[in-house]
Amino acid sequence: MVCKLCGPKLSLCGLVLSVWGVIQLTLMGVFYHFKAVALLEDLPLEESAAGEEETLETFIANVEHGYMQNALNCWIAALLYFVTLVVSGHQFWMNNRSSVSM
C-alpha cells in the first residue's frame, strides 16, 4: 500500500521546482566540466600562505581541480533533485488518481 505524503498543490510545486533544478544544475555541471571562464569566480581556490609562492602550474592544477569538483557537486545535486522529481511525480499521480476515482 502506498500512502499520500503531500497534497496536489505541493506535489505540483515540487514537480516544477525539481524540473527546474535538474535542468539548471545539469547545465551548470556541463559548463563547469568544460571550464567556462564565466564561472571562474565561483571556484573554491585556496589562498597561498604568507611567504609561499604559487607557481603557474600549481595554480592551473588548482583551477582544474576546482572546476571538476564543482561539476561533480552540481551533478550530485541534480541527481538529488531528480529523486525529488520522482517523489513529487508519484505524489501528483496518487493525488490525481484518487480524485478521479471519487
Side-chain angles (χ1 to χ4, degrees):
M1 180 176 152
V2 180
C3 63
K4 289 191 268 185
L5 298 174
C6 56
K9 292 178 185 177
L10 182 60
S11 61
L12 182 62
C13 179
L15 272 172
V16 171
L17 289 176
S18 297
V19 167
W20 173 63
V22 167
I23 292 170
Q24 179 181 358
L25 288 169
T26 302
L27 286 175
M28 284 185 66
V30 168
F31 294 144
Y32 274 119
H33 182 73
F34 289 122
K35 299 174 183 68
V37 177
L39 299 173
L40 182 64
E41 294 177 355
D42 298 324
L43 295 179
L45 298 177
E46 297 176 9
E47 298 290 325
S48 58
E52 267 186 48
E53 287 190 26
E54 187 173 30
T55 64
L56 183 60
E57 291 80 20
T58 59
F59 177 73
I60 291 173
N62 287 339
V63 167
E64 288 179 356
H65 176 71
Y67 272 121
M68 288 301 126
Q69 185 63 47
N70 280 4
L72 183 63
N73 290 344
C74 285
W75 289 329
I76 290 171
L79 285 175
L80 292 174
Y81 266 105
F82 182 75
V83 170
T84 307
L85 174 72
V86 169
V87 171
S88 296
H90 178 262
Q91 291 299 304
F92 187 73
W93 176 74
M94 288 293 292
N95 285 314
N96 282 342
R97 185 181 73 151
S98 65
S99 66
V100 170
S101 65
M102 290 183 170

